[in-house]
Amino acid sequence: MSSEGLNNGAVKLSCRNIWKVYGDKAEQFFKDSQDQSNNPKARADSIRTAGHIVANADVSFDVHVGEIFVIMGLSGSGKSTIVRCLSRLVEPTSGEVLLDGENLLQKNDAELIDVRRHQMGMVFQSFGLMPHLNVIDNIAFPLKLQGIAEEQRYAQASRVIELVGLQGRESNFPKELSGGQQQRVGIARSLAVEPDVWLLDEPFSALDPLIRKQMQDEFLRIRSVLHKSIVFITHDFHEALRIADRMAIMRDGEVVQIGRPVDLILNPVDDYVRDFTTDVPWENVLSAADIVEQANGPTENKRRVSGDTPISELLTYLANHHDGLLVEDAHGTVLGMATARGVLTALASGCSNQISEN
Amino acid sequence: MSAKIGRGEIHWLVVIAITLICIALQDQWGWLSKYPQAWTVPFSDWLNIIINWMIKHLGWFFLGFSWLLEWPIKAVRWVLQSLPWGVTAFVFCVIAYVASGWRLALFTLCSLLYMVVIGYWDESMNTLSLVAISVPLAILTGFIFGVWGFHSNRAERVIMPMLDILQTVPVFAYLLPILLLFGFGTVVGLVASVLYSFPPMVRNTIVGLRSVPAEVIESGLMSGASKSQLFWQVRVPNAMRQLLLGVNQATMASLSMVIIASIIGGTEDIGWEVLSTIRKAQFGESLLAGMVIALMAMVIDRITYGLATRTDDYQNTAADTASNTTTRTLHRYRYWCIAAAGAVVFFVLAQIFDILQDWPRHLEWSPAKTMNDGLTYLVANFRGEIDSIKKFAFFFIMLPAKIGLQQAVSPFTWGFELTQTHRVAYVIAMIAIALLCMKRWNYKAAIATLLFAIFFYIGLTNMPWPAVILIYAVIAWKIGGPALGIGTLTGLAFIASSGNWPEAMLSIYLCGIAVIISFVLGTAIGIWASYNDTVSAFVRPINDTLQTMPLFVILIPFVMIFKIGDFTALLAIIAYAFVPAIRYAEHGLRHLPEDTLEAATMIGATKRQLLWQVKIPLAMPVMMLGLNQTIMYGIAMLVITALVGTKGLEQSVYIGLSDGNFGVGMVAGICMAIIAIIVDRCTQAWSRKRQAELGLNPI
Ligand SMILES: Nc1ncnc2c1ncn2[C@@H]1O[C@H](COP(=O)(O)OP(=O)(O)OP(=O)(O)O)[C@@H](O)[C@H]1O
Ligand SMILES: [Mg+2]
């Protein structure tokens, strides 16, 4: 699994063996440290049998600087809980959260408030706007809490308002805005303090599909301007595909697989992951570089394509030329061969229930 | 119905058997019918000892407190008295306009003019000044307790029962201790009204703070709010609407208490005016004064309610978008400016035109005398009709319920003597009806019929007390589980052992009849209103008015026509208590799951079948809550009917007050509270149970 594919940047935010157990005296399960080495799955099961709710079981992942890390999973799989553990809105029962190498869980209240005021921003599924404040005051709310003077915070807020394209709506109140506009306010507010880490918990799930698409574009635009380290939660694989650098898939509080979207499509670890990827338009997602094989035979006079060509553009050619074509990277170096067989193999890995060899 | 007899039936048959045995034996064993004097526990003496100790040792503290509180009242009173009425009226109209628009402003203006013209301006301002001090105190107290209860579950568990007690113990019962501790004067009314009006604020504060959405709190935290910022800048603004509803309820409670409190503090206010004119049988005057209270209550209610639910809150007005900051500020404070400017103008005008300063006596106009004459005429000319209405209700409904058919039926009342044949026929008829109920519905209906037959024959006040306690406890147990059953048993045992049993039965009898009539009547109107928008639109303002009307005032017209007595009390209770029955029935029937109704219609249900077999069963839980409210309203009014000479617990409370016997009044008051709380818990438990069975969402 090539989980470190695109990102070689420094780790910004890292979560190590996070457990979150709901129920009375949940800490009892984490007293004896020699137990830690145990298989997390067995352990989660034993905690569940004791009548507790395990929302996160041994979750670990890293988010690199400038990366969009997407977390996916079915409802109740612990996505919201883990992202709240990252911001300590929920106190993890066990584990570590490292922000720039410092353990967030050891910070006291004042330090935590300071982190939230300057380093983290969060966007919520149902927006979480203050109904009694108008757009500009909502956006400037974090600045107001810091005690920044009105003039300055309005100036600062106006910049983000422009960024999310809400100029002219400054004095509207949330209930006068559409869902999409409200979420723009939520986004603007989370960006007003210019955080390094940006957490988004299903930010577009409450919006209808057309607006959602629009907001995704918006999000990608903002992100290309700002370059933040982002944790993005969604239960929509298409959304994940559009924006993710890397992603994690969760089930019952555990991380099932981490990798680039393509990795998940080509090498799903089990049927659960495969189920997420089945109705993905794989011919658009996969690119030539994803299906290359060792080049055997003569390579001269062959048609060459660049590695990031979507497979959909190759299909007709491959159907007529059984010997395939050459795939090269941006510098012209040959990566290997793309053949019809390669396409089929890639496709097969995303589908379960294949008939056997004989 | 299957022939098998289940556990439930056996329990009930045993209960009925015990009841019958008690009835049979009560002639031999006197203690069964009458709780023996020797067994009474002297709770009231103990309470008197406690209060006397407090007066002796802590009296200085309360008196000092009283002295302190006197000042702000005096100050507000001075301001309101010395301002020309024109200024006050103008400011109120502006507030009313801000709260809900032109119509309310106009209504306010008319109400205030009424007070002026009728000649009650000074009294009104005195009442208002008391309210003006007590409301902020109640809100502050309520908010503090609410915040405490919100933060600590343990505190909430202590606070909530206290609120229940404060709201159910009749107000007359705690006027006396306040009087004893704080001494005569306006402060008594103030303290009583704060005590009575802060509970709704506590409840609303807790609910409001609780119901702030989790994501809003989280977004506040992620914005970097500290603990106090989170509370004041996130939680409180988000809970504001609920808090304002609390303010509205507290204001109304405070006003009603200020009026009632005038029963002990003879200051020159409206409540006193109503009371003294009633006592002097000047009904015209008392009705006019009562109207002042009613108008005042309505204006204050609409204003606070309007402020609480203002629709243009959090909404833009054109000028808010204006870029110029001065115009924006000016715009934001425009109403303050208008009010201030207008006040000054009116003040100046009042110096020139005396009529705006003090309404001249010779321009006062009061129809009181005409009204009195009219009433005299009415009563004189329709004496026969009035008497026969009264007699009918008394002989055929009230008397049998009170002392049973066995005593109520006599040649003088029903026109014949009760003979053995009648008795046998009654027993056979009732058993037949019970069997019919069993066949048609279920054993519960049959049991209910049998119990009713026994009650109606023996009479509530003649029932042996152990049997009554047993029956009520078993009912509570069946409805709300063992805890409620045991609670009921203990509560009723307390009533019996305090020696208040006969009075308690009299209260239950009067309130019970009134509640049944109110509920049936109210539900019928509610059903009608749920079908017919015109009826609905017609009933609503009447309901609103009756609900904001102080209890005293409702009493007046009935006393005018029917004089004092149980019948007047009955009518007054009905007039007040049928409002919630209407409301809940209409609400319940209008908000039913649409698909169920459509399905029933598609199956081919007729309109009547739809109503009786689909709508009413589905709306039943809501209607039960209506019954709950009907009973609570009934009890609230029952307390006041002590003024027209009823004989139940409410009278003991009132006598305790007028004799200055704290213990007696308080114990009787606690007994009433016990009854109220038991009934409240039972009806609520029943409603919840039904709701869960029907799989409906809790309301
Ligand atoms: N405060 C809580 N107390 C008890 N259990 C909780 C609490 N919060 C969450 N849970 C449980 O933890 C599990 C994970 O919840 P979480 O909200 O993280 O799921 P999710 O993946 O975000 O789901 P969704 O897509 O519906 O938002 C669920 O089973 C939930 O019932
Ligand atoms: Mg979630």
Side-chain angles (χ1 to χ4, degrees):
Chain A
M1 221 191 320
S2 62
S3 58
E4 303 305 320
L6 294 172
N7 288 284
N8 307 312
V11 173
K12 181 74 191 174
L13 180 67
S14 157
C15 94
R16 305 264 170 84
N17 310 96
I18 290 286
W19 286 80
K20 177 65 198 176
V21 179
Y22 285 109
D24 274 352
K25 305 208 185 80
E27 299 78 23
Q28 66 190 21
F29 300 105
F30 301 91
K31 284 261 167 61
D32 37 355
S33 47
Q34 68 268 36
D35 208 37
Q36 300 283 7
S37 53
N38 262 8
N39 173 7
K41 193 171 228 117
R43 192 161 178 199
D45 283 341
S46 76
I47 297 178
R48 284 199 179 98
T49 358
H52 288 65
I53 296 171
V54 182
N56 286 146
D58 202 44
V59 176
S60 304
F61 57 77
D62 292 337
V63 182
H64 299 94
V65 174
E67 174 185 46
I68 303 184
F69 188 83
V70 170
I71 302 177
M72 267 196 69
L74 297 179
S75 190
S77 56
K79 309 181 296 290
S80 295
T81 309
I82 191 65
V83 79
R84 278 167 177 71
C85 285
L86 294 181
S87 55
R88 255 185 90 185
L89 287 172
V90 163
E91 203 69 40
T93 318
S94 150
E96 288 183 320
V97 176
L98 303 178
L99 177 65
D100 291 324
E102 287 179 46
N103 192 352
L104 208 59
L105 304 186
Q106 271 156 12
K107 297 207 184 279
N108 61 28
D109 282 357
E111 288 167 337
L112 188 62
I113 288 176
D114 203 56
V115 167
R116 287 173 180 162
R117 282 184 178 178
H118 301 292
Q119 286 174 275
M120 280 187 175
M122 183 156 171
V123 182
F124 297 88
Q125 176 170 2
S126 45
F127 321 139
L129 302 181
M130 305 290 146
H132 61 290
L133 300 179
N134 61 17
V135 168
I136 189 139
D137 281 328
N138 251 301
I139 294 174
F141 187 64
L143 306 172
K144 185 179 172 200
L145 294 183
Q146 295 177 24
I148 295 174
E150 189 172 89
E151 291 282 309
Q152 197 192 335
R153 61 174 193 256
Y154 279 180
Q156 214 163 325
S158 305
R159 277 205 293 280
V160 256
I161 284 183
E162 221 154 282
L163 190 68
V164 297
L166 274 177
Q167 304 96 309
R169 309 307 299 259
E170 285 86 350
S171 55
N172 283 90
F173 284 91
K175 73 168 190 187
E176 301 171 316
L177 302 177
S178 71
Q181 286 169 330
Q182 290 189 32
Q183 193 56 297
R184 280 167 208 258
V185 178
I187 288 175
R189 177 181 60 188
S190 69
L191 293 175
V193 297
E194 298 176 354
D196 311 326
V197 175
W198 201 15
L199 309 170
L200 302 99
D201 184 6
E202 305 200 28
F204 308 138
S205 296
L207 309 176
D208 48 44
L210 271 179
I211 309 278
R212 193 183 308 168
K213 176 88 175 16
Q214 209 179 328
M215 292 296 288
Q216 286 162 3
D217 294 337
E218 197 87 344
F219 168 79
L220 288 171
R221 188 180 59 74
I222 292 172
R223 117 112 237 256
S224 69
V225 183
L226 294 180
H227 268 291
K228 309 219 171 277
S229 311
I230 297 170
V231 177
F232 189 109
I233 305 230
T234 179
H235 58 239
D236 176 0
F237 197 77
H238 294 265
E239 186 166 88
L241 279 181
R242 292 199 66 199
I243 61 180
D245 289 329
R246 284 190 313 135
M247 56 190 294
I249 296 211
M250 291 188 68
R251 174 182 55 203
D252 296 340
E254 289 167 57
V255 170
V256 185
Q257 189 171 4
I258 298 183
R260 294 179 306 146
V262 191
D263 298 332
L264 302 190
I265 296 173
L266 292 181
N267 303 306
V269 291
D270 60 11
D271 286 348
Y272 180 79
V273 178
R274 191 172 285 131
D275 275 347
F276 277 107
T277 60
T278 37
D279 55 352
V280 165
W282 56 272
E283 68 278 7
N284 291 332
V285 178
L286 298 184
S287 53
D290 295 323
I291 58 161
V292 288
E293 311 172 330
Q294 197 64 50
N296 41 12
T299 57
E300 309 83 49
N301 307 331
K302 279 231 161 89
R303 183 78 195 269
R304 287 172 170 244
V305 292
S306 113
D308 55 9
T309 318
I311 289 189
S312 56
E313 293 174 17
L314 309 179
L315 290 177
T316 320
Y317 184 89
L318 288 180
N320 297 327
H321 299 82
H322 291 280
D323 47 348
L325 38 63
L326 278 183
V327 181
E328 59 181 13
D329 67 9
H331 313 294
T333 322
V334 171
L335 295 171
M337 295 277 287
T339 62
R341 201 172 56 106
V343 173
L344 284 176
T345 316
L347 180 55
S349 65
C351 305
S352 48
N353 300 331
Q354 306 292 321
I355 56 167
S356 59
E357 289 283 331
N358 31 32
Chain B
M1 200 70 229
S2 72
K4 253 196 292 178
I5 292 187
R7 277 262 281 289
E9 285 96 320
I10 297 208
H11 289 155
W12 276 117
L13 289 177
V14 170
V15 168
I16 289 182
I18 293 177
T19 309
L20 289 173
I21 292 171
C22 284
I23 291 170
L25 289 179
Q26 72 178 323
D27 290 339
Q28 282 141 28
W29 294 343
W31 60 267
L32 268 177
S33 57
K34 211 162 176 242
Y35 189 85
Q37 194 82 50
W39 295 5
T40 40
V41 186
F43 291 114
S44 47
D45 296 344
W46 298 346
L47 282 176
N48 279 333
I49 292 172
I50 295 175
I51 195 89
N52 285 332
W53 184 89
M54 280 178 75
I55 294 170
K56 202 159 153 205
H57 293 95
L58 300 173
W60 56 271
F61 170 76
F62 289 102
L63 286 178
F65 197 64
S66 172
W67 181 82
L68 267 182
L69 282 177
E70 196 92 35
W71 289 104
I73 301 177
K74 277 187 183 148
V76 175
R77 187 174 275 210
W78 179 79
V79 170
L80 284 175
Q81 290 292 4
S82 49
L83 275 182
W85 69 266
V87 175
T88 318
F90 179 78
V91 172
F92 266 103
C93 289
V94 173
I95 297 175
Y97 176 73
V98 174
S100 106
W102 280 116
R103 287 166 61 163
L104 187 59
L106 200 65
F107 179 69
T108 308
L109 182 66
C110 293
S111 308
L112 293 172
L113 282 179
Y114 172 83
M115 292 174 204
V116 172
V117 172
I118 222 85
Y120 281 134
W121 182 256
D122 289 347
E123 288 83 353
S124 309
M125 288 305 109
N126 280 343
T127 299
L128 193 63
S129 60
L130 213 51
V131 173
I133 296 294
S134 99
V135 167
L137 274 179
I139 289 170
L140 194 68
T141 321
F143 185 73
I144 291 171
F145 274 100
V147 171
W148 189 29
F150 166 74
H151 277 301
S152 146
N153 281 332
R154 202 175 308 156
E156 197 195 351
R157 275 200 295 277
V158 179
I159 292 172
M160 282 305 171
M162 299 257 290
L163 300 188
D164 279 342
I165 291 173
L166 277 176
Q167 285 187 305
T168 46
V169 169
V171 290
F172 290 156
Y174 57 83
L175 279 180
L176 187 66
I178 299 172
L179 187 72
L180 292 175
L181 290 172
F182 290 90
F184 267 99
T186 37
V187 172
V188 180
L190 180 73
V191 174
S193 99
V194 170
L195 276 183
Y196 184 64
S197 57
F198 87 90
M201 188 65 200
V202 179
R203 292 181 204 275
N204 279 291
T205 306
I206 294 182
V207 169
L209 292 177
R210 285 254 157 84
S211 57
V212 179
E215 287 210 338
V216 171
I217 302 293
E218 287 182 333
S219 76
L221 281 171
M222 285 310 289
S223 301
S226 66
K227 273 210 177 83
S228 74
Q229 284 176 328
L230 189 71
F231 184 76
W232 290 109
Q233 301 195 34
V234 179
R235 270 195 210 276
V236 170
N238 271 284
M240 194 45 93
R241 199 144 278 198
Q242 195 75 38
L243 293 179
L244 287 174
L245 280 180
V247 170
N248 170 264
Q249 290 169 13
T251 312
M252 294 314 288
S254 159
L255 183 65
S256 74
M257 191 63 186
V258 163
I259 303 287
I260 289 173
S262 60
I263 217 165
I264 46 168
T267 47
E268 294 244 298
D269 60 11
I270 283 292
W272 174 247
E273 203 62 41
V274 176
L275 211 69
S276 59
T277 46
I278 289 187
R279 283 182 181 149
K280 283 183 272 180
Q282 299 171 326
F283 294 116
E285 285 85 347
S286 71
L287 198 62
L288 291 177
M291 280 288 287
V292 174
I293 301 178
L295 290 173
M296 203 147 124
M298 278 191 268
V299 167
I300 293 180
D301 176 55
R302 302 298 188 278
I303 288 180
T304 45
Y305 186 78
L307 289 175
T309 55
R310 216 150 52 128
T311 44
D312 66 333
D313 255 13
Y314 314 150
Q315 207 157 47
N316 263 296
T317 36
D320 271 347
T321 27
S323 48
N324 188 334
T325 37
T326 32
T327 40
R328 199 156 62 189
T329 323
L330 212 69
H331 186 76
R332 192 180 296 167
Y333 298 109
R334 62 194 182 280
Y335 293 120
W336 292 100
C337 301
I338 294 173
V344 172
V345 169
F346 269 92
F347 193 82
V348 173
L349 283 178
Q351 309 307 317
I352 306 167
F353 303 104
D354 231 12
I355 195 168
L356 283 174
Q357 179 82 42
D358 283 308
W359 190 260
R361 274 249 167 257
H362 63 93
L363 281 182
E364 270 174 19
W365 173 83
S366 161
K369 193 163 157 13
T370 333
M371 288 167 68
N372 285 338
D373 292 345
L375 183 72
T376 319
Y377 175 82
L378 190 83
V379 173
N381 279 275
F382 293 91
R383 160 138 309 152
E385 285 80 355
I386 293 173
D387 277 353
S388 52
I389 295 176
K390 221 165 143 175
K391 249 192 206 128
F392 177 83
F394 202 62
F395 288 163
F396 294 101
I397 302 173
M398 297 171 73
L399 220 46
K402 190 171 169 183
I403 54 176
L405 289 172
Q406 59 164 356
Q407 286 175 19
V409 178
S410 72
F412 170 65
T413 55
W414 290 47
F416 58 85
E417 192 80 53
L418 206 60
T419 62
Q420 204 60 38
T421 354
H422 288 125
R423 292 200 185 100
V424 173
Y426 182 77
V427 171
I428 292 176
M430 283 304 162
I431 290 180
I433 294 178
L435 287 176
L436 210 67
C437 287
M438 183 98 157
K439 225 171 133 79
R440 183 84 171 71
W441 292 293
N442 54 27
Y443 82 91
K444 281 182 192 155
I447 299 283
T449 315
L450 287 181
L451 283 176
F452 177 77
I454 296 174
F455 268 110
F456 211 62
Y457 183 75
I458 305 291
L460 189 56
T461 52
N462 287 335
M463 287 286 285
W465 56 271
V468 178
I469 295 184
L470 181 70
I471 292 171
Y472 285 145
V474 173
I475 293 177
W477 169 48
K478 294 277 173 192
I479 292 176
L484 193 57
I486 291 173
T488 306
L489 194 69
T490 331
L492 293 177
F494 173 85
I495 297 180
S497 63
S498 71
N500 275 314
W501 189 260
E503 288 83 9
M505 287 307 109
L506 283 174
S507 290
I508 292 181
Y509 130 79
L510 188 61
C511 199
I513 299 180
V515 163
I516 291 172
I517 297 177
S518 309
F519 186 66
V520 172
L521 190 71
T523 306
I525 300 178
I527 292 174
W528 192 20
S530 77
Y531 278 108
N532 190 324
D533 287 341
T534 325
V535 175
S536 175
F538 178 73
V539 173
R540 198 167 310 133
I542 299 180
N543 283 350
D544 287 347
T545 314
L546 280 173
Q547 271 198 326
T548 41
M549 195 87 87
L551 302 172
F552 267 9
V553 183
I554 294 181
L555 213 51
I556 300 172
F558 298 110
V559 186
M560 285 164 73
I561 299 174
F562 295 103
K563 303 285 179 288
I564 59 171
D566 278 7
F567 186 62
T568 304
L570 184 76
L571 292 182
I573 299 176
I574 294 174
Y576 188 58
F578 82 122
V579 174
I582 300 182
R583 286 234 160 114
Y584 280 82
E586 184 180 350
H587 179 88
L589 290 171
R590 276 185 186 261
H591 295 87
L592 291 173
E594 205 55 55
D595 44 350
T596 316
L597 296 187
E598 279 169 1
T601 316
M602 281 311 293
I603 295 169
T606 63
K607 224 175 160 184
R608 171 180 303 210
Q609 284 172 328
L610 195 66
L611 176 67
W612 287 104
Q613 297 185 22
V614 182
K615 282 186 163 188
I616 289 189
L618 277 178
M620 206 39 136
V622 183
M623 282 154 81
M624 281 309 282
L625 285 187
L627 177 62
N628 174 290
Q629 286 302 299
T630 306
I631 296 172
M632 292 302 130
Y633 274 57
I635 292 177
M637 192 70 200
L638 180 70
V639 173
I640 307 293
T641 59
L643 292 178
V644 295
T646 54
K647 306 228 162 37
L649 283 174
E650 65 280 4
Q651 196 62 23
S652 308
V653 175
Y654 188 54
I655 289 173
L657 176 63
S658 48
D659 287 0
N661 190 333
F662 166 67
V664 168
M666 198 48 158
V667 170
I670 292 173
C671 291
M672 282 199 85
I674 288 173
I675 295 175
I677 292 176
I678 289 174
V679 175
D680 176 64
R681 296 298 184 276
C682 283
T683 41
Q684 286 209 26
W686 195 88
S687 170
R688 265 199 305 272
K689 206 163 115 186
R690 274 308 284 166
Q691 217 149 27
E693 281 166 11
L694 292 173
L696 298 173
N697 294 325
I699 10 157

